[in-house]
Amino acid sequence: MSQPSVEYLRFTGHQSFARRLTISTLTGRPIHISKIRSTSPTNPGLAPHEISFLRLIEAITNGSSMQISYTGTTMTYHPGLITGTIAGQGAAEGDVIDHHIPDTCTRGITYFLMPLCLLAPFSKAHMNVRFSGPGVITSATETGDPSVDTFRTAILPLFGLFGIPPARIELRVLSRSCAGPGGKGGGGSVELRFASQVRLPKTLHLNRNPGRIKRIRGVAYCTGVSASNNARMIHAAREILNPLVSDIHIAAQYDQAPLVPTDKAGSKRRLGIGFGLSLVAESSSVGVLYSADVVVPPSGGVVPEDTGKQCAFQLLESIAQGGCVTQVSASTVLILMAMGSEDVGRLRVGREVIGTQDLVGLARDLKTFGASSWGLRDVDDESDDIIISVKGSGVGNVGRKIA
């Protein structure tokens, strides 16, 4: 008896790879991705961070299957049930899945954390994952990933708007690291404990006035360089922000650069040396956060004062774009809205935010996966903002029987 043919949703290219796999896992729709860097003469196919992400999906789900072509330029993915951390299914030490990231990884740890936190509310059990290995980069990266500090202070609190208590989400930074030479490798260690599982996310109505900025919080971090760099970054950022907001507090965090084994037997070296600054502005309107992230490039050559000023200006630019979400958090909020109960939620965003390639691609991907198209209308005031209306698909959590 012949097997029934599976209807794949077809995509091309490596853009939004992790996001497409995440939405596929949430909706249960199998996907086929082709032409993954097929034109690259030196590195065709899946990159190391994409292969590592596939291993992570395999560890936190039950019944997922994936086939990758010999060249790595084509793959198919059949999603399974999101189980989380269940003893005997990949959980290593006690109740934690230990996920190892290789030193060839060029993406920050938030590349893995963002999709993981989108899947965790729909998991059957708690989602406890520890990221370790010579490829863990906790700082912001030149590839566009925010730092763990921005993720913890500007993205995780937004889950509370969907009835997912942030108090039950814990992100531990066990060891910090910036990107190594050439932007590869780090050697940090991060642990995520996500104990907020829900049946369905609440419908979000974040279409009010963003309000005024009432406080600014931040973290200046150094790994393997002089701790005085923190004070210099903070002073430079305060020079710009102090005349605008009176309530500013920026914490300083100093860590030794992590020791990472080398190719030689028994020898180790310090990796992930650098410094950076993360800033988050809180509005008087509940749930409205603006963030900025700047890190010194792996090649160096930038003084802490320039990093501090650049981060402050980046924060002001993020606030000036308006809306209730920034480019960093918009896709997370919109995916949760699309997965929520079958009601229409509304989100206010700045025109510059929705006009990015990332959000336009997200709208197309969600429509391909069967979610409703977005409704757009201008806000009736002097701002240049847009209201996005999103109808939830009611996917919910099949692993949980109670609300």
Side-chain angles (χ1 to χ4, degrees), residues 170-386:
E170 187 180 4
L171 183 63
R172 302 174 183 171
V173 183
L174 306 175
S175 175
R176 288 178 179 268
S177 175
C178 295
K184 292 182 180 179
S189 181
V190 175
E191 188 174 305
L192 175 72
R193 289 181 173 267
F194 204 112
S196 294
Q197 279 69 43
V198 293
R199 182 73 188 88
L200 265 175
K202 289 181 180 176
T203 304
L204 177 67
H205 296 285
L206 198 60
N207 55 347
R208 55 185 176 270
N209 190 298
R212 303 176 74 85
I213 302 303
K214 62 178 181 179
R215 69 170 69 97
I216 293 174
R217 297 290 180 262
V219 176
Y221 52 88
C222 287
T223 55
V225 293
S226 171
S228 64
N229 289 333
N230 282 333
R232 291 164 65 184
M233 282 189 291
I234 293 169
H235 182 72
R238 274 183 166 276
E239 278 186 339
I240 295 161
L241 298 173
N242 274 349
L244 306 172
V245 183
S246 57
D247 186 0
I248 301 175
H249 181 74
I250 305 172
Q253 182 76 38
Y254 172 76
D255 288 77
Q256 279 196 329
L259 276 169
V260 176
T262 62
D263 295 334
K264 296 177 183 177
S267 64
K268 293 184 177 181
R269 61 168 179 156
R270 299 277 180 193
L271 192 66
I273 297 168
F275 54 84
L277 180 62
S278 161
L279 293 174
V280 175
E282 297 179 33
S283 167
S284 56
S285 189
V286 178
V288 180
L289 301 166
Y290 302 97
S291 61
D293 235 325
V294 176
V295 67
V296 67
S299 55
V302 178
V303 295
E305 285 80 6
D306 289 349
T307 303
K309 286 179 182 177
Q310 187 183 343
C311 193
F313 285 129
Q314 198 181 96
L315 181 68
L316 296 177
E317 187 179 343
S318 178
I319 296 168
Q321 286 177 350
C324 295
V325 290
T326 60
Q327 290 181 13
V328 171
S329 58
S331 58
T332 300
V333 172
L334 286 163
I335 290 173
L336 283 171
M337 289 175 74
M339 296 300 124
S341 55
E342 295 185 54
D343 193 5
V344 178
R346 293 172 181 85
L347 179 68
R348 178 169 174 157
V349 297
R351 200 171 290 267
E352 288 181 47
V353 175
I354 195 173
T356 56
Q357 184 179 349
D358 186 55
L359 275 200
V360 172
L362 173 62
R364 288 173 177 159
D365 286 351
L366 285 172
K367 189 176 180 184
T368 305
F369 280 100
S372 300
S373 300
W374 295 348
L376 306 177
R377 64 177 174 85
D378 290 323
V379 177
D380 300 327
D381 59 19
E382 68 277 1
S383 72
D384 210 19
D385 294 349
I386 290 173

Side-chain angles (χ1 to χ4, degrees), residues 16-278:
S16 310
F17 178 82
R19 187 172 70 203
R20 285 167 176 168
L21 284 168
T22 303
I23 301 173
S24 169
T25 308
L26 288 171
T27 57
R29 304 284 300 274
I31 59 173
H32 177 278
I33 306 177
S34 59
K35 298 182 180 176
I36 303 171
R37 299 185 183 86
S38 56
T39 56
S40 172
T42 52
N43 296 304
L46 294 167
H49 60 268
E50 290 163 347
I51 294 169
S52 187
F53 181 72
L54 287 173
R55 290 193 177 121
L56 176 63
I57 291 283
E58 200 172 28
I60 62 169
T61 59
N62 185 17
S64 294
S65 66
M66 48 200 79
Q67 288 84 35
I68 304 171
S69 68
Y70 181 73
T71 57
T73 55
T74 304
M75 72 157 290
T76 58
Y77 171 64
H78 287 257
L81 182 70
I82 308 168
T83 54
T85 310
I86 295 179
Q89 289 188 6
E93 185 184 313
D95 60 344
V96 179
I97 295 172
D98 197 354
H99 186 67
H100 185 86
I101 297 179
D103 57 1
T104 48
C105 182
T106 56
R107 300 299 297 260
I109 194 61
T110 48
Y111 172 85
F112 303 92
L113 287 173
M114 281 191 185
L116 193 63
C117 285
L118 283 170
L119 295 171
F122 304 94
S123 171
K124 189 174 182 180
H126 294 179
M127 190 77 78
N128 303 331
V129 181
R130 184 187 298 122
F131 295 91
S132 59
V136 178
I137 305 168
T138 63
S139 70
T141 63
E142 292 185 306
T143 47
D145 301 307
S147 68
V148 287
D149 302 292
T150 296
F151 182 76
R152 186 179 62 233
T153 54
I155 296 177
L156 286 183
L158 298 176
F159 282 82
L161 302 172
F162 296 92
I164 304 166
R168 303 194 67 198
I169 308 170
E170 187 180 4
L171 183 63
R172 302 174 183 171
V173 183
L174 306 175
S175 175
R176 288 178 179 268
S177 175
C178 295
K184 292 182 180 179
S189 181
V190 175
E191 188 174 305
L192 175 72
R193 289 181 173 267
F194 204 112
S196 294
Q197 279 69 43
V198 293
R199 182 73 188 88
L200 265 175
K202 289 181 180 176
T203 304
L204 177 67
H205 296 285
L206 198 60
N207 55 347
R208 55 185 176 270
N209 190 298
R212 303 176 74 85
I213 302 303
K214 62 178 181 179
R215 69 170 69 97
I216 293 174
R217 297 290 180 262
V219 176
Y221 52 88
C222 287
T223 55
V225 293
S226 171
S228 64
N229 289 333
N230 282 333
R232 291 164 65 184
M233 282 189 291
I234 293 169
H235 182 72
R238 274 183 166 276
E239 278 186 339
I240 295 161
L241 298 173
N242 274 349
L244 306 172
V245 183
S246 57
D247 186 0
I248 301 175
H249 181 74
I250 305 172
Q253 182 76 38
Y254 172 76
D255 288 77
Q256 279 196 329
L259 276 169
V260 176
T262 62
D263 295 334
K264 296 177 183 177
S267 64
K268 293 184 177 181
R269 61 168 179 156
R270 299 277 180 193
L271 192 66
I273 297 168
F275 54 84
L277 180 62
S278 161

